[in-house]
């Protein structure tokens, strides 16, 4: 059998086994709950603002700091703006930033991990020393420094969080590539003259996607929390943008008299992080049964 045929046979068998494990995993209450939360949040972020039809910026000073009611399910803020509308619109900002940051981390980390693991030698040493240098600084502190230098904005927060978080992906991918590149069908492909880029794309990359998908799923919740934290400190979204961290920062002065200003967006963050954590843990059992993402942390 040719190297490509052998690899294809392995891929088909792995796909069938993985499909069965995925169905079984999704039946578990923990994973099903996570998937339901993530699916609901995605729908809210994509179509919630349009369906709601309420302007999150609209002010009504005669209606300021009203507690939750039928007219305003989550109450109003100090400027009379509807908190429910602002939380719904905030889902689009928070999840949008989190997905964008995670995609940048994923692409950059996977690319560098593939290059380092497959090329080896001085290329591997150079790239991994850069990753080690990145890990020498606490991620949130480095993000604070970058965002502080670049100036307060969601774009700068996106850039800062993307810069500090790709190293974990690179390490996970490199460790997998070091194992995959020694397998018989990869060696046979190399000896038969198959171009290196084809070997990487057809044989190596599919074998490292599982743990990186798990890591990305878990990472989205972490990025949501980090984005809210930077916005709370004044380095992210700026008022009147309805971003969850900014809403908490504005409402902290009214914590004793208007609890909903902090608790509602805070609960949204908690539910989001919980949803992605539960889903990521469930996917780990299917895509990363050996716990390779855990060893990377």
């Amino acid at each position: 059998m040719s190297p490509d045929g052998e690899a294809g046979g392995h891929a088909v068998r792995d796909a069938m086994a993985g499909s069965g494990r995925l169905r079984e995993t999704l039946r578990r209450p923990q994973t099903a709950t996570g998937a339901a939360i993530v699916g609901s949040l995605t729908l809210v972020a994509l179509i919630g603002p349009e369906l709601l039809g309420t302007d999150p910026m609209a002010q009504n000073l005669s209606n300021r700091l009203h507690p939750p009611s039928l007219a305003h399910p989550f109450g109003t803020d100090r400027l009379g703006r509807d908190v429910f509308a602002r939380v719904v619109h905030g889902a689009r900002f928070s999840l949008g930033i989190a997905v964008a940051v995670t995609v940048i981390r994923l692409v950059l980390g996977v690319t560098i991990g593939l290059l380092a693991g497959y090329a080896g030698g001085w290329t591997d040493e150079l790239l991994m020393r850069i990753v080690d240098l990145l890990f020498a600084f606490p991620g949130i502190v480095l993000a604070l420094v970058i965002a502080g230098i670049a100036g307060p904005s969601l774009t700068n927060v996106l850039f800062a969080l993307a810069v500090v978080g790709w190293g974990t992906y690179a390490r996970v991918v490199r460790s997998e590539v070091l194992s995959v590149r020694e397998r018989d069908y990869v060696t046979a492909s190399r000896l038969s003259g198959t171009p290196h880029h084809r070997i990487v794309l057809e044989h190596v990359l599919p074998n490292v996607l599982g743990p990186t998908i798990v890591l990305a799923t878990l990472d989205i919740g972490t990025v949501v929390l980090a984005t809210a934290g930077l916005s709370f400190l004044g380095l992210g979204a700026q008022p009147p943008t309805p971003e969850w961290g900014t809403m908490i920062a504005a409402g902290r002065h009214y914590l004793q008299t208007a609890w909903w200003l902090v608790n509602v967006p805070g609960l949204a963050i908690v539910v989001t992080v919980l949803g992605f954590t539960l889903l990521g843990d469930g996917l780990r059992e299917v895509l990363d049964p050996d716990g390779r993402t855990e060893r990377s942390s």
Side-chain angles (χ1 to χ4, degrees):
M1 181 180 292
S2 66
D4 289 344
E6 182 181 352
H10 285 300
V12 171
R13 288 192 295 270
D14 290 345
M16 293 176 62
S19 177
R21 290 197 303 269
L22 179 60
R23 288 194 297 269
E24 180 182 352
T25 301
L26 289 176
R27 294 192 188 104
R28 298 178 181 176
Q30 175 179 325
T31 310
T33 300
I37 292 174
V38 171
S40 300
L41 287 170
T42 302
L43 287 177
V44 168
L46 291 176
I47 64 176
E50 283 73 21
L51 291 179
L52 190 61
T54 302
D55 185 1
M57 309 292 188
Q59 301 181 14
N60 183 0
L61 295 180
S62 63
N63 200 32
R64 63 191 302 269
L65 297 179
H66 275 208
S69 63
L70 291 177
H72 304 284
F74 293 163
T76 61
D77 65 7
R78 61 188 180 88
L79 297 176
R81 297 173 297 195
D82 186 78
V83 175
F84 179 65
R86 292 179 63 77
V87 169
V88 170
H89 281 75
R92 178 171 293 181
F93 285 101
S94 296
L95 289 181
I97 290 292
V99 171
V101 168
T102 303
V103 168
I104 295 173
R105 288 179 174 183
L106 182 65
V107 172
L108 187 59
V110 168
T111 301
I112 292 177
L114 283 173
L115 182 59
Y118 189 80
W122 67 267
T123 302
D124 184 20
E125 286 293 324
L126 175 62
L127 293 176
M128 286 302 101
R129 296 299 76 76
I130 294 175
V131 172
D132 291 340
L133 181 63
L134 185 66
F135 278 103
F137 303 93
I140 191 63
V141 174
L142 187 57
L144 280 169
V145 172
I146 296 174
I149 294 174
S153 75
L154 274 178
T155 302
N156 292 337
V157 164
L158 187 155
F159 172 75
L161 292 175
V163 165
V164 304
W166 59 266
T168 303
Y169 293 89
R171 279 187 172 179
V172 170
V173 171
R174 172 185 175 270
S175 66
E176 289 304 300
V177 173
L178 291 176
S179 172
V180 172
R181 74 176 185 180
E182 302 301 327
R183 294 181 182 176
D184 292 341
Y185 60 85
V186 175
T187 302
S189 296
R190 191 183 303 116
L191 293 177
S192 66
T194 304
H196 291 297
H197 71 275
R198 278 194 59 191
I199 296 175
V200 171
L201 293 178
E202 296 179 7
H203 300 322
V204 179
L205 181 59
N207 285 281
V208 305
L209 287 180
T212 55
I213 291 174
V214 173
L215 182 59
T217 304
L218 295 169
D219 211 19
I220 291 178
T222 304
V223 175
V224 168
L225 188 60
T227 302
L230 292 174
S231 295
F232 178 84
L233 295 175
L235 297 175
Q238 300 299 299
T241 303
E243 195 274 334
W244 293 339
T246 304
M247 293 174 63
I248 293 175
R252 72 186 189 277
H253 303 294
Y254 304 90
L255 189 57
Q256 293 184 341
T257 58
W259 54 267
W260 56 90
L261 297 182
V262 171
N263 291 347
V264 170
L267 183 61
I269 295 172
V270 170
V271 171
T272 301
V273 175
L274 177 63
F276 280 102
T277 300
L278 293 176
L279 180 60
D281 285 340
L283 292 178
R284 192 201 310 273
E285 299 181 16
V286 179
L287 301 176
D288 187 23
D290 298 326
R292 290 163 287 187
T293 54
E294 288 183 344
R295 292 200 299 268
S296 69
S297 60

